[in-house]
Structures are given as C-alpha cells and as structure tokens.
Amino acid sequence: MRVFVTGATGFIGSYLVPQLIKAGHQVVGLSRSDKGAEALTRAGAEVFRGDLGDLDGLHAAAQMADGVIHAAFNHDFSRLKEHSEEDRKVIDALGAALVGSDKPLLVSSGTGLVDRTKINGPATERDVPVSSADFPRAATEEAADAVAAKGVRIIVVRLSQVHDTAHQGRLSQHVKLAREKGYVAYVDKGENRLSAVHVSDVALLYRLALEQGTAGARYHAVAEEGVPMREIAEVLAERLSLPVRSITPAETEDYFGWIAGLATIDLAASSALTRQELGWNPSGPGLLTDLREMGSGVA
Ligand SMILES: NC(=O)c1ccc[n+]([C@@H]2O[C@H](COP(=O)([O-])OP(=O)(O)OC[C@H]3O[C@@H](n4cnc5c(N)ncnc54)[C@H](OP(=O)(O)O)[C@@H]3O)[C@@H](O)[C@H]2O)c1
C-alpha cells in the first residue's frame, strides 16, 4: 500500500516508517524541514514537503495515497486550543480526499481523553471522549466522527503514555520537577495509574489497524493497563538518586504546577478489544524498565 504519513519525522513516526516499509508498504512522509526530509530518505521513504497549515497540499498528498496515517501534532501546549483546532482542519482535509473510497485514514488521539466521569474502571475502546469545549485536544475525535459521517473509513488510534529509553512524554516533566525540588513526589498513596506502551508496539498497532482496521473503530495502544504513580516515582527517584516522598492533595498544586491535574487522575486504560480484533500482542519493554534505563541526558 502507498501510505501518506504525517508526523513521519516524530518520535512515533521514526518507528512507524521502518515498520511500514519492512512490511512491504511504500511510505510518503510529510516533512517541513531539510533535516526531516533527509531522515525520511535515509529510512527509505519518499518525502512530501509541507506543513500542517497547507491544507491543499495535505489533501493532494492524501489523494495520491492508498491510505493515510495522521500522526503529526504541534505539541506547544501553551497554544493547545489553536493546534487542536488546526488538527480538526487537517483531518477534515485528509478525509475529504478519501471520500468515496474505501481507503483508510488513521488519526491519533489519547486514552487520556476518555470522559472519566462516565466510566468506572479502565477506559475502553467503547468509551466516549470528553468534549473539545472541556479539553481542546478532543477536537481530533470530533473531527474523526464528522469525517466518518461522510463515509470515510476513518480509524482512531488512542495512545497511552508512549515510551522508550529516550522519551517519557509527560514523565519528563516529573523528572524536571524532581530536579528542581530535590525530591520525587507522588500524591497520597500514589495508587492512581498511568497506562503505557512501548513505541515499537505502537508502530505495530498502527500498521495492523491500517491493514485490517474496521471503519469507525477506536483502538487502544495500551500494553500496561495501569502502572501506579507510586511505583513510577520510586523508579524515578532511584534513577535520579533523589529521595521519594508522598505529598498531600493540598500540596499537589505547589509541587506539580500546570500538570497538577494529571498527577492525581487515574489514567488506567484497557486494550482488550484492540488485541482481540487486530491480534495485536505488545511485547516491548515495560514503562518501569525504560525509566530505569532512561538516557543519561535525562537523568
Ligand atoms: N507520545 C505519546 O506519548 C503520545 C500520547 C498520546 C497521543 N500522542 C499523539 O500521537 C501523535 C504522534 O506523537 P509523537 O510522540 O510522535 O509526537 P512528536 O514526536 O512531537 O512528533 C510530532 C510530529 O508532528 C510534526 N509536526 C508538528 N507540527 C507540524 C507542522 N506544523 N507541520 C508539519 N509537521 C508538523 C513534527 O514534525 P517535525 O519533525 O518537523 O517537528 C513531528 O513529525 C501525536 O498526535 C500525539 O499528540 C502521543
């Protein structure tokens, strides 16, 4: 299949492109820079030069493909609303290029976007996301639903915390705070959990969903349903050679600042339906293993 991949130069893209090529697909990767274009060429992909703001260009690239994986996102969280609304427009443009075909369009969301007020237990593929009015990043799944209503074979991949030994997502912020404060904190008993997945398993899941995914499906890239924050904090403390401490809910804002809300929420998520439907069996290292071995640049 000729696959147009946005975000091909990113963390997940750098594993996804080789995964697709190894399976016999032809990859056309979006890049906005010479550096990205060179990396894609080295990986054996074709390059489509462009930017997420160039909707006509994205539409044209999608029209020339047999399938599209959209994994680009601007992660400047100070402008989250703007970038989430940009994502809505991008999905609309990519979807418009595929109307009337059976070509798959995969988009990237997060298990953390499921509306936790409506569930009791780990988030499942059937659970609905929050509204973008409450959290802007939910625009992605709203856009997916709008495109699905036009008959496009759209598939949502919801990611949990994706990791390898160099990337820990939001946990990089925990590392930064621990260094600043001189200790690693968890709240109360630290029983709230974070679901996680190794990036190599994410790449495999995108490929399986591209090849076999059902129109309108939500798939969960979750290898570990929930790693307790206390265990994460203990491993971080060991890796950083810092003490670890339980803090009270009242102290959370002061320690965690803008990620205080995330520090206390339970983000457990299940992938039972995904595994069953796609035969996906994650086998990469666990989150705590990668944290123990995280690069010296981090710790
Ligand atoms: N990693 C996680 O734990 C996680 C969890 C939940 C959801 N997700 C979602 O999964 C997707 C992939 O995440 P990731 O971790 O691979 O992100 P990443 O490493 O930050 O990569 C983002 C990608 O988007 C591209 N991009 C950003 N702005 C662009 C623009 N204006 N024009 C063209 N390309 C642009 C980047 O290109 P450059 O290389 O040029 O910067 C890069 O290829 C995203 O939608 C993300 O929100 C990730």
Side-chain angles (χ1 to χ4, degrees):
M1 203 186 281
R2 185 175 166 85
V3 192
F4 176 49
V5 180
T6 75
T9 57
F11 171 38
I12 291 169
S14 68
Y15 283 75
L16 176 59
V17 170
Q19 168 72 225
L20 292 169
I21 290 175
K22 204 170 153 209
H25 298 292
Q26 203 183 334
V27 174
V28 182
L30 176 70
S31 179
R32 55 180 169 169
S33 71
D34 290 343
K35 193 170 158 240
E38 281 158 23
L40 288 176
T41 304
R42 270 198 308 279
E46 286 175 44
V47 178
F48 184 87
R49 285 301 290 255
D51 189 274
L52 290 177
D54 174 16
L55 298 178
D56 291 341
L58 296 176
H59 184 275
Q63 265 185 330
M64 289 186 282
D66 303 311
V68 178
I69 299 180
H70 173 45
F73 191 80
N74 188 325
H75 288 117
D76 171 4
F77 291 108
S78 66
R79 292 161 67 196
L80 184 61
K81 185 161 175 55
E82 184 186 325
H83 296 309
S84 299
E85 287 307 315
E86 175 178 68
D87 203 49
R88 191 193 296 274
K89 288 186 194 142
V90 169
I91 291 168
D92 193 49
L94 295 171
L98 305 183
V99 170
S101 77
D102 191 38
K103 297 174 180 177
L105 166 59
L106 274 61
V107 300
S108 309
S109 179
T111 54
L113 291 159
V114 165
D115 187 346
R116 304 265 157 184
T117 64
K118 296 202 170 91
I119 62 171
N120 187 12
T124 75
E125 293 86 339
R126 295 208 173 104
D127 293 322
V128 296
V130 294
S131 151
S132 63
D134 295 324
F135 191 69
R137 188 70 173 87
T140 298
E141 291 205 30
E142 291 173 359
D145 288 340
V147 166
K150 294 177 188 162
V152 175
R153 190 173 150 211
I154 194 160
I155 292 161
V156 175
V157 179
R158 288 182 180 153
L159 302 154
S160 55
Q161 180 56 69
V162 185
H163 57 86
D164 66 4
T165 55
H167 300 83
Q168 292 82 32
R170 72 169 248 212
L171 295 177
S172 306
Q173 186 64 17
H174 290 234
V175 170
K176 185 169 171 272
L177 289 169
R179 285 208 186 107
E180 281 168 24
K181 313 270 178 183
Y183 67 99
V184 183
Y186 59 89
V187 183
D188 218 352
K189 292 185 181 156
E191 287 173 339
N192 58 314
R193 296 160 295 169
L194 186 62
S195 56
V197 61
H198 190 265
V199 62
S200 58
D201 290 316
V202 173
L204 174 62
L205 176 55
Y206 273 103
R207 176 170 71 77
L208 295 176
L210 178 85
E211 294 170 348
Q212 316 163 27
T214 309
R218 261 77 173 159
Y219 294 121
H220 278 193
V222 174
E224 294 178 280
E225 190 167 288
V227 185
M229 289 310 295
R230 183 182 53 76
E231 290 181 27
I232 292 171
E234 285 169 355
V235 169
L236 287 179
E238 185 188 309
R239 183 68 185 87
L240 299 171
S241 301
L242 288 170
V244 60
R245 198 179 293 169
S246 164
I247 59 173
T248 65
E251 292 169 313
T252 309
E253 186 108 14
D254 185 45
Y255 183 95
F256 284 104
W258 66 277
I259 60 160
L262 284 174
T264 49
I265 193 171
D266 186 62
L267 288 172
S270 151
S271 58
L273 296 172
T274 301
R275 291 172 196 239
Q276 196 184 329
E277 196 177 316
L278 297 178
W280 177 65
N281 288 308
S283 59
L287 177 64
L288 297 181
T289 301
D290 271 354
L291 290 179
R292 278 192 192 97
E293 291 171 15
M294 64 186 173
S296 55
V298 178

